[in-house]
């Protein structure tokens, strides 16, 4: 068994949300579960810019039990359920500046057989993790991970592989049609040509 990759230092998360959404591309997302460690390289992200972003849960500084973690320090897990799927976000922004980065797609790296068991409906490899609800199911990320600090197990992010600027693309976010002008902001980032992009 290889030694597990060391988590990124907490200081990694102290960058602007748009920068963090790009810096997370290529990083390794790991989850330790009873069935073993599963992991994938992050290949698609979306930035949510907090109080001024109509598509963000924290728009207008809305603070609820669900969004409370976003008002704290960056580098924590913000999970929530949408249409029965658990979605995973990295909290960004400073204290009382509630922003987050949604992880939309990962490329399997460790524990692929475990992922296949958890995602029996996936007809091909890319369908295991090419969407924000699929990747959480495949990796075993649940609401129990809400509020976990991302610099230690069971859920952590480690250095992965380098994504050069020319390999990166950006465009409008997905599935936020009712958010006015915010739906057109080019705040989705992805690794160009990767098979595990959600759309």
């Amino acid at each position: 068994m290889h030694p597990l990759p060391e988590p990124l230092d907490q200081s990694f998360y102290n960058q602007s949300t748009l920068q963090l959404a790009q810096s997370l591309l290529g990083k390794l997302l790991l989850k330790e579960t009873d069935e073993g460690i599963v992991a994938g390289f992050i290949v698609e992200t979306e930035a949510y810019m907090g109080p001024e972003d109509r598509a963000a849960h924290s728009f207008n500084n809305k603070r609820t039990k669900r969004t409370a973690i976003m008002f704290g320090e960056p580098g924590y897990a913000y999970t929530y359920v949408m249409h029965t799927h658990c979605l995973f976000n990295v909290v960004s922004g400073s204290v009382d500046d509630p922003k987050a980065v949604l992880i939309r797609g990962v490329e399997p790296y460790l524990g692929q057989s475990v992922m296949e068991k958890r995602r029996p409906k996936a007809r091909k490899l890319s369908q295991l993790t090419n969407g924000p609800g699929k990747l959480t199911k495949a990796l075993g990320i649940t609401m129990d991970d809400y509020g976990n600090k991302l610099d230690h197990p069971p859920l952590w992010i480690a250095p992965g592989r380098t994504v050069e600027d020319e390999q990166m693309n950006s465009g409008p976010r997905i599935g936020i049609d009712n958010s006015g002008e915010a739906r057109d902001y080019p705040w989705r980032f992805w690794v160009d040509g990767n098979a595990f992009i959600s759309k």
Side-chain angles (χ1 to χ4, degrees):
M1 176 76 185
H2 301 296
L4 286 174
E6 286 292 314
L8 289 163
D9 189 76
Q10 176 66 25
S11 61
F12 169 78
Y13 301 99
N14 297 337
Q15 45 186 321
S16 77
T17 301
L18 289 175
Q19 193 55 54
L20 181 65
Q22 295 166 72
S23 298
L24 281 165
L25 294 177
K27 299 294 181 280
L28 196 58
L29 176 61
L30 302 103
K31 177 71 197 278
E32 191 171 31
T33 67
D34 293 343
E35 297 139 291
I37 303 267
V38 285
F41 294 106
I42 297 170
V43 297
E44 184 182 10
T45 62
E46 277 180 345
Y48 285 89
M49 300 295 285
E52 70 272 19
D53 179 1
R54 291 178 70 92
H57 291 166
S58 52
F59 178 57
N60 270 343
N61 270 313
K62 185 177 176 195
R63 190 193 285 247
T64 62
K65 193 176 168 200
R66 174 168 89 160
T67 64
I69 191 69
M70 279 202 282
F71 287 81
E73 292 176 18
Y76 285 76
Y78 169 43
T79 49
Y80 63 90
V81 174
M82 186 173 162
H83 310 311
T84 72
H85 298 293
C86 177
L87 304 191
F88 166 65
N89 298 254
V90 175
V91 173
S92 62
S94 48
V95 173
D96 288 330
D97 183 23
K99 297 172 180 169
V101 177
L102 172 68
I103 307 302
R104 280 202 68 94
V106 304
E107 179 186 321
Y109 172 66
L110 282 178
Q112 192 180 307
S113 59
V114 175
M115 295 187 195
E116 286 166 0
K117 264 194 228 116
R118 291 174 179 161
R119 295 267 306 118
K121 288 185 179 154
R123 288 190 299 283
K124 52 186 190 200
L125 183 60
S126 62
Q127 290 176 346
L128 278 180
T129 51
N130 67 339
K134 297 175 183 178
L135 72 88
T136 51
K137 203 161 181 57
L139 270 67
I141 297 172
T142 68
M143 285 305 296
D144 290 342
D145 293 304
Y146 179 95
N148 280 359
K149 203 160 178 256
L150 295 171
D151 62 357
H152 57 76
L155 177 65
W156 74 106
I157 297 175
R161 51 192 186 203
T162 304
V163 176
E164 304 294 351
D165 288 350
E166 59 270 20
Q167 296 172 275
M168 207 181 287
N169 215 327
S170 66
R173 296 170 295 182
I174 294 169
I176 55 167
D177 292 341
N178 58 352
S179 53
E181 76 286 351
R183 70 178 183 210
D184 300 319
Y185 300 154
W187 291 345
R188 180 168 70 96
F189 303 93
W190 65 91
V191 178
D192 228 7
N194 190 281
F196 297 87
I197 305 303
S198 61
K199 290 276 182 187

